[in-house]
Amino acid sequence: MKSRRLLLFVFWLAVAGALAAVTTLPLAADDRDDHRDHGKDWARECSLRTLHGRYGIFAQGTVLATSAHPALPFVVSGIFTYDGDGSVAGTYNQSVGGGASTGVTASGTYQVNPDCTYSAVLTLPDNSIVHRAGTITGEGILQEIHIVYTDSSSVASGTLKRIRERPCSLRTLKGPYALYGQGTILPPNVPAIFRATAGLLTFDGEGNFAGEATGNTNGATALGTFIGTYAVTPECGVTAEIHVTGGPNTGLVLHEAGSITGDKDLKELHDIFTTPGWVFTDTLKKQR
């Protein structure tokens, strides 16, 4: 009996020692993060210099109704450049209620807080002033600014993504890209048509592309094929002309304008349709 008691005592002593050893082991990196005050201990502070270089913008929303017009959907694409010292300027394309404008300029100032929140005040060509607010995420080529329009005339949001520093060319777009998009078609004197697409296209690096996409138009789904041509500016702006070659919309010709963001296998193309009557935005992502 005494020997049995002694064995039990030794067993529980060993268990207690093991538990003590476990509780004194250093925490893994992920566990340590869970015990930190994320707002104070490790977060990198942002400043005006956090934003420096070119960023591609894509945004969509609604211009609110007034006595002069009904509520109008709109989409925006373009390129803005931040100087790292509080000034920003850019050129963008937009379709408001199906009326497209390209090469619109804007300039202004921006503020960045230590917690990486952001605000900007921009002056447009008609001298109207617009306001944006948002948050900066990521670093390097993965840096993004997520924004909301804060003026009372519209309800909209968007994203600006970092553009690489070196110039772009036709060869910047080469190989297969996954595409998806959504928007509204507003033909004159008929009800709005709602459409979404997803598919795949391939750029040849020399100004041509071809692909196919599944489209859902007012609930009716069909596959379509297309070919087209594209141009690229050194600043990484893109324009394209699309010719639908198969499916319900065969013969349709569409035009797009946007920008290339990211680099290498992380490249993306964000554009809007500039064809009259279309309020539509596309995203294309490089296939690895």
Side-chain angles (χ1 to χ4, degrees):
M1 178 67 78
K2 288 183 179 180
S3 61
R4 184 180 177 185
R5 289 176 180 174
L6 181 61
L7 286 173
L8 287 172
F9 175 75
V10 171
F11 171 76
W12 286 114
L13 191 63
V15 169
L19 289 173
V22 170
T23 57
T24 56
L25 286 173
L27 290 173
D30 290 344
D31 295 330
R32 286 199 301 270
D33 284 347
D34 289 341
H35 292 276
R36 290 180 176 182
D37 180 343
H38 288 269
K40 297 179 181 178
D41 287 347
W42 64 270
R44 175 182 59 84
E45 289 191 349
C46 288
S47 68
L48 290 177
R49 291 200 60 79
T50 301
L51 299 179
H52 188 272
R54 299 192 306 272
Y55 293 74
I57 184 174
F58 52 101
Q60 60 187 126
T62 304
V63 176
L64 299 177
T66 68
S67 59
H69 60 74
L72 300 170
F74 75 92
V75 290
V76 172
S77 70
I79 297 174
F80 280 81
T81 301
Y82 293 82
D83 70 351
D85 198 32
S87 296
V88 57
T91 301
Y92 64 94
N93 317 290
Q94 65 181 10
S95 177
V96 181
S101 304
T102 59
V104 182
T105 59
S107 61
T109 59
Y110 70 95
Q111 294 289 331
V112 176
N113 299 315
D115 63 357
C116 299
T117 53
Y118 158 93
S119 62
V121 180
L122 301 172
T123 302
L124 305 183
D126 62 0
N127 290 322
S128 60
I129 296 175
V130 295
H131 303 81
R132 309 287 183 255
T135 307
I136 303 166
T137 66
E139 293 183 321
I141 199 64
L142 297 178
Q143 191 176 70
E144 301 180 1
I145 316 168
H146 302 282
I147 61 169
V148 61
Y149 288 39
T150 57
D151 298 293
S152 61
S153 58
S154 64
V155 176
S157 64
T159 298
L160 292 93
K161 291 193 172 188
R162 187 69 185 268
I163 294 175
R164 71 187 198 183
E165 293 182 3
R166 65 185 189 281
C168 287
S169 68
L170 290 176
R171 292 190 63 81
T172 304
L173 294 177
K174 187 174 183 180
Y177 281 70
L179 72 89
Y180 57 93
Q182 184 172 356
T184 307
I185 307 168
L186 299 170
N189 305 317
V190 299
I193 299 170
F194 303 100
R195 179 172 171 80
T197 59
L200 184 70
L201 66 79
T202 300
F203 295 97
D204 69 356
E206 297 180 356
N208 306 288
F209 62 84
E212 65 178 28
T214 298
N216 183 327
T217 305
N218 277 355
T221 301
L223 181 68
T225 58
F226 55 88
I227 60 174
T229 58
Y230 68 96
V232 178
T233 68
E235 295 78 22
C236 300
V238 179
T239 55
E241 182 175 283
I242 304 168
H243 294 258
V244 180
T245 56
N249 297 313
T250 298
L252 183 66
V253 178
L254 299 167
H255 295 89
E256 296 179 318
S259 62
I260 304 167
T261 65
D263 200 6
K264 298 180 180 178
D265 287 340
L266 299 175
K267 282 199 291 278
E268 299 181 1
L269 171 58
H270 303 277
D271 62 64
I272 67 167
F273 283 28
T274 55
T275 304
W278 285 68
V279 186
F280 200 93
T281 181
D282 262 340
T283 293
L284 291 80
K285 293 195 174 186
K286 182 88 165 64
Q287 295 282 80
R288 298 186 181 184

